[in-house]
Amino acid sequence: MNKQLVLAVSIILIAQNSGANEVSNDAYLENDVVKIPVLSTGESAYRLDLQLVPSSNPVQLKMVAAQDITELKLSTTGASTFANNILTIPFLANAKASYKVELKLISAEPDVILELKDASIAAWVNRKAQNEDAITFSNVKSRLADLPDVAWENTQKLLEANKDSSKTADIILKVLKGPNTQLYYDGSERSFEKGIKLWANFSQPREYLALFYNFSDKTWALTQFDLPGLIDAPCTQTECTGGNSGIQTADGLGVGVFGISQKDSIDAYRYGPLQIHEYSHAAQCAPWVGLNNNPCNGQQDMSPCWLTEGQAHFLGISGSFSSFGDYKENRDRQINSHPVESFQDFSAEKILQFYSDDIPRTCIGKANYRLGYTLGMLTVEVLSAIGGSESTMKIYELGGMGQTFEEAFINVYGISWAEAKPILADVIASLHGDVYM
């Protein structure tokens, strides 16, 4: 098979297998149309639709829609570009792989026609140029001291970049408390709004309902959302404490339940991090809305548990504290917050085994699930220092397109999970030891 045919097959496979991503700058496909949310050319920006020309060889695409969006002043990070008659799409994924695609302008009249020039396997983290000081899998072991600061700073930069985003304007947020419930934190709505902004470049629930209640208000909570198993989730036989969250309907209704016990009022984690944590669980499931009657089943089928809890925990903490000192203090406190009696050896060898044993779906309910809040959080911190704080959510987006965790990981980070996990295990052992040894 010659190179041109390989490239053609790549484009055709993308067109046949991709799902839509309507919020980020990454190009995506709807049937046979390449949707380019942001095309940067000079000082201008455009939104384009390019339709695959049937039976074309070499592969050609015709522009069927164009909109000048320069005045919107959108971020061009990771956007497609046009220069010297070449349109470059830095990241376009299908159900198995991801590509960088270059198209050459061959006609402007009467129709704009572009022809496939090149396509190559590409990682999401490489869609934009990296500076010389970037943390990578190659140098991460020598950058241990920098990891917490860089990861936290990446989250803060993400919040700043997304603060005026219009992409989340249609998300409905409802925060309710039981009639007999006394809250010790009155900033939950602001924290949820921060969580929504964090994930502005990804699919999210169409609506998020947050219910806060003490034990005596469980009956009230059932009148707000009639799913007894969910309402019971943050409660014991005598009190309600903790949280649980996800997307509960096929059309994308997110519901979070939060148990209120006054004894928790001394815990700094309850003052913002918990809210972002639980909202992030709903966002994790959003790529499967429209694909699964219970979208969170799709997420649980592809995600190791360390990622499920580690992502929510890291983003909850790094998104809540605007000073690195406060982040580091609370992060260090969380590193041993969920001890597991049968897991006391935090050597690189044991952490590597933990990764290997943490199998999607089957890991739920096991004792080591709790390590997601500790080892998982540190792992996501490292991945966020390497690929940015959005990078782990990109794994879920690709999962919604049909990729396995292993496929999504290499397509995001450019290194296989098999190659990455011993590096991560070594780094996490050192980070854990810095706090507790």
Side-chain angles (χ1 to χ4, degrees), residues 179-226:
N180 302 301
T181 299
Q182 182 178 353
L183 299 179
Y184 47 78
Y185 175 54
D186 62 4
S188 288
E189 186 168 349
R190 294 191 303 274
S191 296
F192 288 127
E193 290 170 348
K194 186 177 286 189
I196 291 170
K197 289 297 184 182
L198 268 175
W199 304 124
N201 296 319
F202 294 87
S203 299
Q204 298 195 51
R206 62 170 175 80
E207 178 179 337
Y208 189 73
L209 172 65
L211 302 176
F212 289 79
Y213 50 93
N214 59 21
F215 191 80
S216 65
D217 279 338
K218 284 177 62 179
T219 302
W220 165 85
L222 279 169
T223 68
Q224 305 303 309
F225 193 77
D226 189 12

Side-chain angles (χ1 to χ4, degrees), residues 24-208:
S24 76
N25 287 348
D26 295 336
Y28 61 94
L29 273 110
E30 288 186 351
N31 300 315
D32 62 346
V33 176
V34 180
K35 312 281 282 188
I36 300 180
V38 180
L39 175 76
S40 177
T41 176
E43 299 297 320
S44 301
Y46 299 88
R47 181 176 291 125
L48 300 183
D49 288 355
L50 306 177
Q51 187 171 37
L52 189 66
V53 177
S55 303
S56 56
N57 186 16
V59 171
Q60 295 181 349
L61 296 100
K62 180 173 73 172
M63 187 172 72
V64 294
Q67 179 185 0
D68 189 336
I69 57 173
T70 306
E71 292 186 359
L72 297 179
K73 298 180 180 179
L74 299 175
S75 168
T76 58
T77 299
S80 299
T81 60
F82 183 77
N84 301 319
N85 288 332
I86 301 296
L87 192 159
T88 301
I89 301 173
F91 189 87
L92 188 63
N94 68 7
K96 290 293 182 182
S98 58
Y99 302 89
K100 176 182 178 181
V101 178
E102 292 184 347
L103 303 168
K104 182 178 180 180
L105 179 67
I106 61 171
S107 172
E109 297 288 346
D111 296 315
V112 174
I113 303 293
L114 298 114
E115 186 173 278
L116 180 65
K117 178 178 180 287
D118 195 14
S120 56
I121 299 297
W124 186 76
V125 296
N126 295 328
R127 74 200 188 284
K128 58 182 180 179
Q130 293 186 336
N131 61 47
E132 295 180 356
D133 195 44
I135 296 175
T136 67
F137 275 97
S138 298
N139 67 17
V140 65
K141 291 182 182 180
S142 66
R143 300 290 300 277
L144 290 175
D146 300 326
L147 292 172
D149 194 356
V150 171
W152 168 81
E153 187 175 359
N154 283 345
T155 300
Q156 295 300 309
K157 288 179 178 178
L158 180 61
L159 282 169
E160 179 65 22
N162 291 350
K163 70 177 182 179
D164 296 322
S165 175
S166 61
K167 298 174 183 177
T168 61
D170 294 333
I171 298 174
I172 299 170
L173 174 63
K174 296 180 180 178
V175 181
L176 306 176
K177 77 175 186 72
N180 302 301
T181 299
Q182 182 178 353
L183 299 179
Y184 47 78
Y185 175 54
D186 62 4
S188 288
E189 186 168 349
R190 294 191 303 274
S191 296
F192 288 127
E193 290 170 348
K194 186 177 286 189
I196 291 170
K197 289 297 184 182
L198 268 175
W199 304 124
N201 296 319
F202 294 87
S203 299
Q204 298 195 51
R206 62 170 175 80
E207 178 179 337
Y208 189 73

Side-chain angles (χ1 to χ4, degrees), residues 345-377:
D345 181 352
F346 292 93
S347 64
E349 180 183 6
K350 292 299 184 181
I351 293 173
L352 179 60
Q353 188 61 50
F354 162 69
Y355 288 145
S356 298
D357 292 343
D358 202 52
I359 307 300
R361 177 65 67 175
T362 61
C363 56
I364 298 172
K366 293 187 176 179
N368 281 358
Y369 184 94
R370 293 169 57 84
L371 296 174
Y373 301 95
T374 56
L375 299 181
M377 179 193 69

